[in-house]
Amino acid sequence: MTVEARRAVAIIGSGPSACYTAQALLKLRRDVDVAMFERLPVPYGLIRYGVAPDHVGTKAVTRQFDRLFTRSGVRFLGNVEVGRDVDFEAVRGAFDATIVATGLHADAQLQLPGFDHNRVVGAGQFMRILNQHPGDDIALPRLGSRVAIVGNGNVAIDVVRLLAKHESDFEGSDVHSPLLVAASGELEVIEVLGRAGIDDAKFTPSLLSELGRIDDARFEVFGVDAEALSDEDGRSAQAAALAGLLDRAQPEHPRITVRLRFGVAPVALAEEAGDLRVSLAGPGVSETHAASTSTEPASIDVDSVITAVGFHRGDAHLLHAMLGDVQDVFAAGWARRGPQGTIASSRAEGQLVAREVDDWLASAAPKSGVEREALLAHLDESSVSFAEWSVIDEHEQRQAGPGRVRAKEQDTETLLRIARRRATMAQDPNPESNT
């Protein structure tokens, strides 16, 4: 009786697409060993560093992903960047299949005059800094009293909510308040500039409705027909959410005013006497609650701009060039489909990718484990294991301030030092000798 060799799959990246794909693959096959390579010392990518830090419920999916490593035997190799610490072809040569799930990180740029100004920041960068992503800036730019947010998708609404909330509204989150207060402490007006009309806006209605919980914020809307908002039978879900937001009691003396402009497109950005002036075109420039037929550009003065117009597709092109036309390499998440879709959609896609990998493994001869074991042994000393990540996780939760669930460490060397504590203390049971 012969014992069939176990199969081995490498996954590059450890965000939701990587984890959902690993989950699905392990359900399809019991004979597969999975190793997950992550360039940061910590797992979960987009969930830890891209999801708004006040959306604790969304981040809670990491608890089910934990079981991949604690129960299902997936090997986590943190602090290992493929292309820096190990060659991609070395990984591919050592595993029966390789899945690239590295996501996309660079904000898409508005190719318009003036939008390369130093007071323009991408929403992705804004969220990474607020989430304390290692290697990014340690401070958010000061936004002044007036900020324009370009875009009206979910990321734009996330930014509005984070900027407009009270400090007390962040209870139970991992928002690092000093960063946010330093950036938005002077803020009085948020201008949201959306090219799409209300019915075509990409935000989730429930996300817009969530803004209604901010009791001392005033909401104004432009570029939307008031009659369309009041038509309960014919209006879209987005229009219904907007109507609900406007129906709430509007404070007479608001702490902050949010102006939602639909069907408006930025044309250019210029600095005049220290102010930034955004030139606009479209019905959303009208100072009424009804749509305007005017196409003459108007302008608004702001102190800063946050662009929420998606992520740079160039990264995906580089990935495709790296993957080439090979049968044993697969892509998942934004590395596969570009910057679109939600965390929830990654689950269904992960099942699809897992089936593709399963089909390949069923037809391909298994590779020798000797090369793989040598590669993993080489990386063992420098990589961060899941047990070591758990030390970081426990540390961040212990360090959480009042009303917070964790205080993230941002410096990579600090993260590595914390991760190594378990090994150090195991070698020397007297912790005082390690201080």
Side-chain angles (χ1 to χ4, degrees), residues 36 67 151 161 167 222 238 265 283 307 317-318 333 351:
M36 200 172 285
R67 295 194 285 271
R161 187 185 65 256
E167 165 65 18
F222 307 100
Q238 294 95 321
T307 58
H317 297 155
L318 291 174
Q351 294 170 345

Side-chain angles (χ1 to χ4, degrees), residues 372-383:
R372 181 166 57 255
E373 289 305 315
L375 183 146
L376 294 174
H378 171 70
L379 295 173
D380 188 57
E381 185 174 345
S382 59
S383 65

